[in-house]
Amino acid sequence: MFSSLRAWFGTLFLILILMTSGAAFSSSAQVDYGAARANASRSPADMIRNGRDHYDYLALHNHRGPSGVPLGGIGEGYFDLSPNGHFDRIAINNWHDVQGIIHHVPGTFLAVWRNGHAHLLELAKKPLFGMVPAKTTVYRGLFPIIHLKINRNTALKAWSGLVAHDVKDSSLPVAFIDVTVHNPKATAQAISVAFSWQDVIGRKLRDLAGPDLIGKIGVTSWSLGGMPGGQYGAMPCIQRVRTQAQTLIANHWRGVLQRSKAFVPLKATFQNYNNQIAIVARTVPGQTISTLPSYQVAHGRRAWKSFCTTGEFRADASAAAKPVALYNGAAAASAVAVKMMVAAGASATARFIVCWYAPPLRCGKKSNETRSFLSYDKNRYGRYFQNYFHSLPQILDYAAANGHRILRQSQAWHKPILRSSYPDWLKFKLINSAYTMYTNTILNRQGDFAVMEGGMGGLTGTMDQRLINHEFYLKFFPRLNRRELSLFADNEGKRGEILHFDGNYYIGLDSPDGHTPVPGNWMLDNTGGWLYQLAEYYLQTGDQTYIDRYHKQIIDAVNFLHKQIKSKLQIPQGPDTYDDFWQPPINIYNASTYPVFMRAAAILADAMAEHALAVKWRRWGDQGTHDLIKFLWNGRYFSYGCNADGSKPVNSLMSSAQLAGEFLSRYLGFRDLVPLSMERASLIAQMKTSLSHSPDYYAPKVWNIKGRQAALDLGTKNNHSTCWPFQLEAFTAMPLIQAGYVGDGLNIMKHIQLINLRNGWTWSQNLWTPGERAYVSAPVTWLVTDVLASAALDLPHHTLHVAPLFLARHTKVSLPLYYPRFWAVLRADRSEAMIRLKITGVFSRGKDVMMINRIIADPIGRTSSEAVSFDIPPFMIRAGAIVEFRASKRRTHFTRSGNKLTVWTRRMSDFFNQKLRKSVLPRATTVPFVRVTTGKD
């Protein structure tokens, strides 16, 4: 992200800036992609100092939406089932931010009939169609699975597929809903469950305003955004189409199919051109299924009279034989009911499936066929499921046969977290932070994967944000993660830079032959972040294929960064992710991250056998670290920045990203970037100033120290700096944990969640001010699994860093670890002086063998120089394999028993040598600043 103002400001104006602590500027201004408007957004929010800070996270009682766990698939859109039982945020056609979300769907709901009365399965202010609302709900929402208890005797379970390493089962346009009813009476009872789905076919789909625009918009996102009226003027919502409905009957399910003619847009996009949506119930012996193919929502009371009276829809023998009109200008819906006789004291389940289907687009050069971006290859815009299924009934058959297996496999990555020693709020936050896999992703037929930023006109990739949000993709879908990194690498800029974006939802994605719809837009951390992520992928997989493939791009990228060094300081100058607020030529974020990017580049160079380059790049990084400390360390914290020659450090402003490089370096197992004494002093200064003065610790990214408030940016209509909570989590909360201020780091993470939870935005969190927007960076929380275990993996060098974190009251801990090729659980018992690493799952690559022969104990709160290395016999990473460390009075020795390797050592205490520090935030006014002049610990 960047602002278009930076080039207007010179050194003279910089002096004024330093006096006023405000005014926006940015360099290399190219095009306005919408950041300025989004960055200035304001939204009411519940930020309360000492507000409610406890929930039963795994059983939310009578909680509100609008957002709930999204149900859908990777690149297939979604809809939310909110904690109050309400269906909301329907985005199965267009899931680009608020432009694609359908909020008002009164014809989509669940209901139960029993004892001659019908009840809605949701909290509502008034009855619907004569059915009274639920009185209580209890919601256990763990993406992508929902357990919802309604009143006393009804329970709902809903899910979609998110199966690690299985793209097929994770990208199905399907949601499963099981409703279980209990009969508490002493006699058998007839009970019915009904599911109604409002027709949304074509709703919120966008297309070019007219065919005359095809030749005008060019092939870039920037040209479309520059059209009169902007992007949404050029691509308004299409007019709704007529739809019809008919009963579906098959061996395993019965229900209603809603459909229209196939869509043939003027311009192909990554929207779902769904022309078929089915709601069906599984056929179960002893259960009766009835359907209501079509009813107008405005006349719903009359249409639902039969169900409210008898628990069934009135049979219509002709409904299965011929289609009936559904939508023709008025809101309409379809419904399916399952009636069952439930024995005394027993329970029974009605099983529903929602499935949506978009046929392959016809993309070709003929004038009457859909226009695409640069290429006429239909696979670029096709859906991934089209590789396996060619009709909606085929998807339904597969879903009916595999739904509960998919549920079990989707729960598999939850279980180690739920069994861990994490507090419940962190279990809840961690699992649910992955929701952007449905709400923001693009996945086409040929497997190209990209993630929309959220807002921003549908722009995808956002490499600067990807630096902190990619961990879930890497850990659970490494193939997709690798694919997006390739999109960037195949489309480097003219000077070797990695670009900011890799596509646009409404235009197209980068192609392997070097064509991009988003050219000429870059920031320094786009290039540096790509190098870092490529190095991380290599370290955690041992896969050198992509390093060899992008040998040239790696060298080009480093040379590009080096060319942005404009002065004697070994620190590049240029735009970066913190684009909506003024920055001096040398700014702390670039100064902090550049040395780490060079360390990552050196890892890549060694892998390419470019050892001379590795030496040079490490030297550049070391010089950058030297200059970072020399010119920006002010004794208490790192200055916001300085002039190009190192003069006039900006000590009046503090950045929440001052330790970004330190965090990134330790995260990959590199050595400390700055001395721990400086890190601690910086963190204390930040906690005493911005964090402790911000409600819920929701601190702005730039703080005016003297003014004791968010810094004012005079260059953008006097906007105050906003909180970027995902960067706050990565670059403040995580370093706090690493440095031993574990309570403070976790407290910040908890309150970032609380603000969204209180407002009903848990599954739709915004980057800027709190609000309802599914922003790309929510999965930042997945950094914490490695941080809390002080873990880092280097497979090529057979090395694992690990040291379990014990909180004050813990004597035993269980910490899950997820890596692209294996999962493990780290268990430790302080009273027994034992630590055990068990491999719980392996994702094989043929005959490739994974092995560890060195484990490094690198405890939290200690410097990297204090880490202790244990050389061990080769430990083969296989499912069920265990390596265990035990205390011994003898010299280090080893024993094996089956898959278990035991290391007996006198140095067991090195694993437990963490140094936790008392929390500062609750007592920030009484904690003194720390001054560090030498940098020695």
Side-chain angles (χ1 to χ4, degrees):
M1 292 178 276
F2 76 102
S3 167
S4 61
L5 300 175
R6 182 170 182 175
W8 298 358
F9 295 89
T11 304
L12 182 62
F13 193 61
L14 174 59
I15 297 174
L16 175 62
I17 300 300
L18 299 181
M19 295 173 61
T20 61
S21 297
F25 87 156
S26 178
S27 70
S28 301
Q30 294 144 21
V31 294
D32 179 6
Y33 60 88
R37 180 178 179 183
N39 289 335
S41 65
R42 291 291 184 268
S43 194
D46 180 9
M47 290 188 292
I48 305 172
R49 194 186 308 279
N50 300 321
R52 182 179 178 186
D53 64 357
H54 177 73
Y55 290 81
D56 188 345
Y57 295 91
L58 303 181
L60 295 171
H61 182 77
N62 289 349
H63 198 67
R64 60 175 171 151
S67 78
V69 169
L71 302 171
I74 300 175
E76 293 300 336
Y78 66 96
F79 62 89
D80 286 5
L81 180 53
S82 298
N84 58 8
H86 185 63
F87 289 85
D88 207 335
R89 295 178 51 80
I90 293 181
I92 62 173
N93 300 327
N94 176 346
W95 54 102
H96 165 232
D97 200 57
V98 294
Q99 283 75 27
I101 293 170
I102 306 168
H103 274 301
H104 187 59
V105 281
T108 300
F109 59 89
L110 286 156
V112 166
W113 174 90
R114 65 169 83 209
N115 299 325
H117 299 282
H119 304 264
L120 288 176
L121 295 185
E122 65 179 73
L123 299 175
K125 294 181 180 179
K126 58 183 180 181
L128 178 68
F129 307 156
M131 296 178 282
V132 298
K135 294 180 180 179
T136 61
T137 59
V138 180
Y139 188 83
R140 180 185 175 100
L142 296 172
F143 173 75
I145 301 163
I146 300 162
H147 289 85
L148 177 64
K149 186 171 183 178
I150 306 102
N151 297 338
R152 286 185 174 183
N153 296 310
T154 307
L156 176 153
K157 180 165 61 179
W159 71 95
S160 290
L162 198 72
V163 181
H165 295 264
D166 188 335
V167 178
K168 175 186 175 183
D169 283 349
S170 302
S171 60
L172 298 173
V174 169
F176 304 88
I177 301 174
D178 283 4
V179 180
T180 299
V181 291
H182 177 68
N183 175 18
K185 294 187 175 296
T187 58
Q189 182 182 30
I191 304 177
S192 293
V193 182
F195 182 27
S196 178
W197 182 270
Q198 185 168 326
D199 172 29
V200 294
I201 290 176
R203 191 171 170 188
K204 290 284 189 172
L205 280 176
R206 291 182 176 272
D207 196 14
L208 288 180
D212 58 309
L213 292 178
I214 291 175
K216 296 180 181 179
I217 64 171
V219 294
T220 75
S221 180
W222 318 132
S223 57
L224 179 60
M227 292 297 293
Q231 174 138 332
Y232 306 120
M235 297 196 73
C237 287
I238 66 171
Q239 208 171 20
R240 289 288 302 278
V241 296
R242 293 183 179 183
T243 56
Q244 59 186 21
Q246 69 184 100
T247 300
L248 277 178
I249 302 176
N251 292 329
H252 302 293
W253 35 263
R254 179 187 175 105
V256 180
L257 173 66
Q258 302 174 344
R259 67 184 306 164
S260 73
K261 292 182 178 179
F263 290 91
V264 184
L266 294 172
K267 169 72 186 68
T269 74
F270 291 107
Q271 299 169 99
N272 267 345
Y273 298 105
N274 291 316
N275 75 323
Q276 298 178 44
I277 301 174
I279 56 166
V280 301
R282 288 290 306 272
T283 55
V284 175
Q287 296 182 355
T288 302
I289 299 174
S290 59
T291 62
L292 179 61
S294 174
Y295 73 94
Q296 288 192 13
V297 175
H299 301 263
R301 190 179 186 95
R302 183 175 60 201
W304 281 73
K305 183 177 180 180
S306 175
F307 177 81
C308 292
T309 304
T310 67
E312 297 181 84
F313 296 113
R314 186 173 55 191
D316 183 351
S318 65
K322 64 179 182 179
V324 295
L326 185 61
Y327 175 81
N328 193 16
S334 307
V336 179
V338 178
K339 190 172 184 179
M340 44 206 161
M341 186 61 68
V342 185
S347 299
T349 300
R351 305 186 187 280
F352 299 99
I353 300 175
V354 185
C355 179
W356 50 99
Y357 179 79
L361 282 175
R362 299 196 310 271
C363 296
K365 295 183 179 180
K366 296 180 181 179
S367 60
N368 66 339
E369 294 187 332
T370 305
R371 305 299 183 101
S372 60
F373 160 67
L374 294 178
S375 165
Y376 290 99
D377 179 0
K378 63 183 179 181
N379 289 339
R380 296 288 288 173
Y381 294 89
R383 310 258 61 88
Y384 191 78
F385 71 77
Q386 291 166 356
N387 290 303
Y388 307 97
F389 309 105
H390 306 294
S391 69
L392 184 144
Q394 285 183 345
I395 302 175
L396 276 176
D397 276 337
Y398 183 81
N402 294 279
H404 284 79
R405 173 188 60 79
I406 290 172
L407 172 63
R408 290 193 303 272
Q409 292 179 335
S410 297
Q411 289 172 322
W413 58 273
H414 291 187
K415 287 181 178 179
I417 297 169
L418 296 174
R419 295 169 179 169
S420 74
S421 51
Y422 295 164
D424 280 355
W425 70 264
L426 184 55
K427 296 174 183 178
F428 177 86
K429 177 176 172 62
L430 182 62
I431 292 171
N432 282 315
S433 70
Y435 70 84
T436 57
M437 289 300 293
Y438 288 175
T439 62
N440 292 62
T441 52
I442 292 172
L443 176 64
N444 66 12
R445 184 171 180 175
Q446 62 191 44
D448 292 326
F449 174 77
V451 188
M452 286 186 287
E453 183 170 356
M456 301 302 167
L459 288 164
T460 71
T462 324
M463 177 57 78
D464 54 310
Q465 295 287 339
R466 204 179 193 282
L467 178 61
I468 61 168
N469 68 39
H470 72 279
E471 288 299 321
F472 189 85
Y473 319 140
L474 172 65
K475 292 176 185 296
F476 296 98
F477 296 94
R479 179 159 63 94
L480 297 183
N481 180 70
R482 193 175 62 216
R483 192 67 171 258
E484 187 166 29
L485 290 177
S486 295
L487 292 181
F488 282 100
D490 291 334
N491 291 272
E492 64 177 346
K494 295 180 179 178
R495 294 176 290 172
E497 73 273 25
I498 298 298
L499 299 179
H500 191 169
F501 304 107
D502 61 9
N504 183 294
Y505 184 68
Y506 297 106
I507 304 293
L509 296 181
D510 288 356
S511 58
D513 56 357
H515 291 103
T516 175
V518 281
N521 187 275
W522 62 270
M523 296 186 297
L524 292 173
D525 50 341
N526 300 152
T527 300
W530 179 79
L531 291 166
Y532 183 90
Q533 291 171 66
L534 196 61
E536 180 184 20
Y537 174 80
Y538 168 64
L539 292 174
Q540 294 193 4
T541 65
D543 181 4
Q544 192 168 330
T545 305
Y546 277 67
I547 298 177
D548 295 336
R549 175 176 171 182
Y550 294 118
H551 188 133
K552 174 183 178 298
Q553 285 90 333
I554 291 168
I555 295 174
D556 288 347
V558 176
N559 288 338
F560 168 76
L561 288 176
H562 188 62
K563 289 177 182 177
Q564 307 318 304
I565 295 173
K566 309 294 185 182
S567 68
K568 65 178 182 179
L569 277 67
Q570 188 69 26
I571 298 172
Q573 298 175 43
D576 61 67
T577 193
Y578 293 94
D579 62 332
D580 71 329
F581 199 84
W582 163 76
Q583 291 180 327
I586 300 293
N587 73 76
I588 181 57
Y589 179 68
N590 285 336
S592 173
T593 54
Y594 170 75
V596 186
F597 295 156
M598 289 301 98
R599 290 179 180 181
I603 294 286
L604 299 174
D606 278 331
M608 297 186 299
E610 296 277 9
H611 302 302
L613 284 179
V615 170
K616 180 168 69 173
W617 293 350
R618 284 193 178 92
R619 186 174 69 248
W620 287 353
D622 291 344
Q623 183 60 48
T625 302
H626 172 272
D627 291 345
L628 162 70
I629 295 173
K630 178 179 179 180
F631 293 101
L632 295 182
W633 178 250
N634 65 23
R636 288 185 173 179
Y637 53 90
F638 286 94
S639 302
Y640 185 59
C642 62
N643 278 335
D645 62 359
S647 65
K648 299 187 182 302
V650 185
N651 293 319
S652 60
L653 300 180
M654 180 181 291
S655 168
S656 63
Q658 61 178 320
L659 294 171
E662 172 64 19
F663 165 68
L664 293 170
S665 187
R666 287 297 295 267
Y667 185 76
L668 284 195
F670 301 162
R671 66 185 186 279
D672 285 313
L673 188 70
V674 300
L676 180 59
S677 57
M678 289 184 180
E679 183 180 6
R680 289 184 58 215
S682 295
L683 291 168
I684 288 172
Q686 194 173 339
M687 286 189 282
K688 284 181 63 62
T689 56
S690 62
L691 286 163
S692 62
H693 287 83
S694 299
D696 278 312
Y697 311 127
Y698 206 77
K701 58 189 173 295
V702 186
W703 182 259
N704 183 329
I705 296 175
K706 294 180 180 178
R708 297 186 179 184
Q709 64 178 11
L712 186 66
D713 191 336
L714 301 179
T716 54
K717 300 181 181 178
N718 294 340
N719 286 330
H720 282 89
S721 175
T722 56
C723 178
W724 285 16
F726 306 116
Q727 276 74 8
L728 186 69
E729 193 164 319
F731 300 143
T732 299
M734 301 294 178
L736 278 165
I737 295 171
Q738 289 176 331
Y741 298 99
V742 176
D744 291 316
L746 293 177
N747 214 358
I748 291 169
M749 293 173 63
K750 180 179 180 180
H751 280 80
I752 289 172
Q753 174 179 261
L754 280 169
I755 289 170
N756 289 284
L757 185 64
R758 293 172 192 152
N759 285 280
W761 298 326
T762 295
W763 297 272
S764 58
Q765 299 179 40
N766 190 9
L767 169 70
W768 298 279
T769 52
E772 184 191 351
R773 166 173 282 163
Y775 192 76
V776 64
S777 295
V780 64
T781 307
W782 279 91
L783 295 164
V784 84
T785 57
D786 287 10
V787 171
L788 291 180
S790 199
L793 178 65
D794 182 353
L795 267 184
H797 299 97
H798 314 299
T799 299
L800 176 67
H801 296 240
V802 71
L805 168 68
F806 287 87
L807 297 178
R809 296 187 300 273
H810 285 171
T811 58
K812 298 180 181 180
V813 294
S814 176
L815 304 174
L817 290 173
Y818 299 90
Y819 291 110
R821 296 186 59 196
F822 69 91
W823 296 352
V825 173
L826 178 68
R827 291 190 172 90
D829 188 323
R830 195 157 42 184
S831 62
E832 291 187 14
M834 179 277 294
I835 146 176
R836 176 188 297 126
L837 182 79
K838 181 176 181 179
I839 308 301
T840 56
V842 171
F843 306 95
S844 177
R845 292 191 319 163
K847 297 180 179 180
D848 193 10
V849 174
M850 293 181 288
M851 180 264 289
I852 297 293
N853 61 19
R854 177 176 300 143
I855 291 182
I856 297 177
D858 195 1
I860 279 174
R862 298 286 180 178
T863 68
S864 56
S865 62
E866 295 177 273
V868 175
S869 178
F870 294 85
D871 291 327
I872 64 173
F875 171 66
M876 311 310 293
I877 297 176
R878 301 189 182 101
I882 295 172
V883 59
E884 183 174 285
F885 282 76
R886 289 273 185 177
S888 173
K889 295 181 180 180
R890 297 167 48 195
R891 295 178 59 184
T892 299
H893 59 287
F894 314 96
T895 59
R896 286 188 185 273
S897 176
N899 273 345
K900 182 178 178 181
L901 169 67
T902 302
V903 181
W904 303 87
T905 177
R906 290 181 293 190
R907 304 206 60 179
M908 195 67 209
S909 60
D910 291 316
F911 284 103
F912 304 113
N913 192 27
Q914 63 185 27
K915 188 172 184 179
L916 301 190
R917 294 174 170 87
K918 188 175 180 180
S919 292
V920 171
L921 284 173
R923 56 191 184 96
T925 56
T926 63
V927 175
F929 285 99
V930 174
R931 177 166 290 278
V932 176
T933 56
T934 64
K936 295 180 180 179
D937 294 308

